[in-house]
Amino acid sequence: MKAIVNGQLFTPRPITGEGVVLIEEGRIVAAGPANAVHVPSRSEVIDAGGRKVVPGLVDVHIHGLLGYSCMGAQLAEVAAVLPRFGVTAFCATTITAPIGHVQEALEEMADVIERQPQGARILGIHLEGPHLSPRRPGMAKADLQHPLTWDEFQQLQRAARGHICMITFAPEEDRAAELIPRLKELGVVPVIGHSDATFDQVTTWVKAGLAHATHTFNAMRGFHHREPGVLGAVLLYDEIMAQLIADGRHVHPGAMALLWKVKGPERTILISDAIPYAGMPPGKYEWEGYELILDGETCRLADGTLAGAITLLNQDLMTLIKLIGVSFTDALTAATCTPARSIGHGMWLGQLTPGFAADLAILEEDGRVWQTWVDGKIVHYAE
């Protein structure tokens, strides 16, 4: 038995007074106030020193960090270093590239997933591109985009050995929308993103089961009072859970506040959308054929287009709190149990609840990470 004591406990619901978490065989046994949780005499005791003890962060949209890319064999290194930022589980996200290269990368990613290296849990693969709208490609090359088809999805899923768990695509391209119910039947989350669809089109797809949107506001048809677009549908329909890059650069604080007011912590999913050079010094870098410029605040292409993010989820969590004034508890919900629930893992991840995986982070007041635990073991410790 292990016992984490003397912490400010968030499950993510805050626990009044000194909190205690008991862990055994990789699972949470108990979590609550010290006066209600008995610590067995032979327990290994870890003193949190008054720090915040929270569920491990779950990032469903991340491309890499610190020079390592999710797209290929370096996925193992991504898993190893992510706990430095409090992330205990993530979906390894791809980028638009020639389809043959994507297929080769998926094979390498599957190899890593099936041996689950030490570090953050790899929950599966998030396929983002090349099935995007050439009118809303973001940083991705428009000439590489093409409609998603069932045959190509099956080809890619075979390469990934069944590990694709979510796919961002533009349903309006050709007949791609017809795949929404078929993907859901397989347990793959269909995600609208990089889309130029109309409001009426999205309305139809919501009825077919669409319930997730990639980096809301970015690379999607915006709102107009005579054509509310993809954004209008994402805001209106409760069925849609909305990803948000809360780095303070991709989305204006006013727009973040609007999304939060409409969706709240139960339907807003904090994501990092971090590129493989997140956490690296300013300079010029290359990523899958794209020339990137990091200026210390953003990552851009030479023409100024934003090209992913350079902050990690623990930083975005604190930025959201600072910029729009939400509570720590609500922001934490959007970075833990909500993303876990959005991809079907809400019954065992994202909460400090008896029976759940013992995945947690111990944070300083400013969001820096002191310790990260995965499966009841310490995988990061800031000396």
Side-chain angles (χ1 to χ4, degrees):
M1 182 80 70
K2 298 176 183 177
I4 300 174
V5 302
N6 189 26
Q8 302 175 54
L9 186 58
F10 295 81
T11 65
R13 182 179 59 85
I15 300 298
T16 302
E18 179 186 334
V20 174
V21 181
L22 298 184
I23 298 168
E24 189 170 38
E25 296 183 352
R27 296 281 167 173
I28 304 291
V29 175
N35 59 11
V37 177
H38 170 68
V39 178
S41 59
R42 294 187 178 181
S43 298
E44 177 185 346
V45 176
I46 296 89
D47 188 338
R51 299 175 178 88
K52 289 181 168 69
V53 181
V54 306
L57 308 184
V58 179
D59 197 343
V60 300
H61 192 147
I62 179 170
H63 299 278
L65 74 164
L66 298 178
Y68 302 116
S69 172
C70 287
M71 197 165 164
Q74 288 184 348
L75 176 56
E77 282 71 30
V78 173
V81 298
L82 263 178
R84 299 183 196 176
F85 303 91
V87 176
T88 57
F90 69 107
C91 293
T93 308
T94 64
I95 186 176
T96 290
I99 200 68
H101 178 61
V102 173
Q103 186 167 333
E104 291 173 3
L106 291 174
E107 293 171 353
E108 294 179 349
M109 295 165 78
D111 289 340
V112 176
I113 291 171
E114 288 174 2
R115 61 183 172 86
Q116 281 289 337
Q118 184 176 10
R121 298 178 189 270
I122 311 170
L123 299 176
I125 296 169
H126 176 182
L127 191 69
E128 185 187 22
H131 310 107
L132 316 177
S133 168
R135 290 166 294 282
R136 304 282 177 176
M139 69 163 286
K141 296 174 180 177
D143 61 353
L144 290 177
Q145 309 305 332
H146 57 271
L148 179 65
T149 66
W150 188 245
D151 285 347
E152 185 161 285
F153 168 73
Q154 289 181 306
Q155 171 190 338
L156 295 172
Q157 186 67 297
R158 281 194 296 272
R161 299 201 286 280
H163 292 295
I164 297 173
C165 65
M166 61 192 305
I167 178 168
T168 290
F169 67 110
E172 74 274 13
E173 295 297 314
D174 198 23
R175 301 174 63 180
E178 296 176 3
L179 275 62
I180 292 171
R182 300 182 75 175
L183 291 167
K184 288 180 67 70
E185 286 175 5
L186 290 180
V188 177
V189 179
V191 186
I192 187 169
H194 292 268
S195 171
D196 197 43
T198 66
F199 176 86
D200 289 343
Q201 286 177 310
V202 182
T203 298
T204 300
W205 303 332
V206 168
K207 294 174 182 176
L210 181 69
H212 200 127
T214 280
H215 44 51
T216 306
F217 298 104
N218 295 110
M220 63 173 55
R221 181 183 284 213
F223 182 88
H224 187 278
H225 60 283
R226 286 190 293 273
E227 169 43 66
V230 178
L231 176 58
V234 171
L235 292 173
L236 178 63
Y237 293 117
D238 288 345
E239 294 89 339
I240 299 179
M241 302 179 82
Q243 295 179 14
L244 174 65
I245 306 172
D247 62 354
R249 301 294 177 178
H250 277 75
V251 182
H252 187 280
M256 286 199 288
L258 172 62
L259 180 70
W260 194 266
K261 186 171 185 178
V262 173
K263 293 291 184 182
E266 300 295 334
R267 294 187 180 89
T268 302
I269 301 167
L270 289 192
I271 61 167
S272 69
D273 198 15
I275 64 165
Y277 302 105
M280 300 285 281
K284 294 184 178 181
Y285 298 87
E286 189 275 336
W287 175 31
E288 299 291 351
Y290 298 89
E291 297 295 328
L292 308 179
I293 302 171
L294 274 65
D295 61 12
E297 295 182 348
T298 62
C299 174
R300 298 180 184 271
L301 302 180
D303 65 3
T305 301
L306 280 169
I310 60 173
T311 57
L312 283 302
L313 206 55
N314 66 316
Q315 299 163 291
D316 296 337
L317 175 77
M318 302 308 294
T319 298
L320 180 71
I321 295 167
K322 178 181 178 181
L323 290 184
I324 69 172
V326 304
S327 69
F328 180 82
T329 301
D330 283 349
L332 184 64
T333 297
T336 54
C337 55
T338 299
R341 182 164 48 88
S342 77
I343 56 171
H345 294 293
M347 297 302 294
W348 69 288
L349 281 182
Q351 298 182 53
L352 300 184
T353 298
F356 275 55
D359 294 3
L360 56 90
I362 304 178
L363 307 179
E364 307 286 0
E365 283 298 318
D366 61 1
R368 287 180 298 115
V369 180
W370 182 58
Q371 284 187 6
T372 305
W373 296 54
V374 174
D375 200 31
K377 303 179 182 68
I378 297 175
V379 293
H380 168 70
Y381 183 16
E383 297 288 348

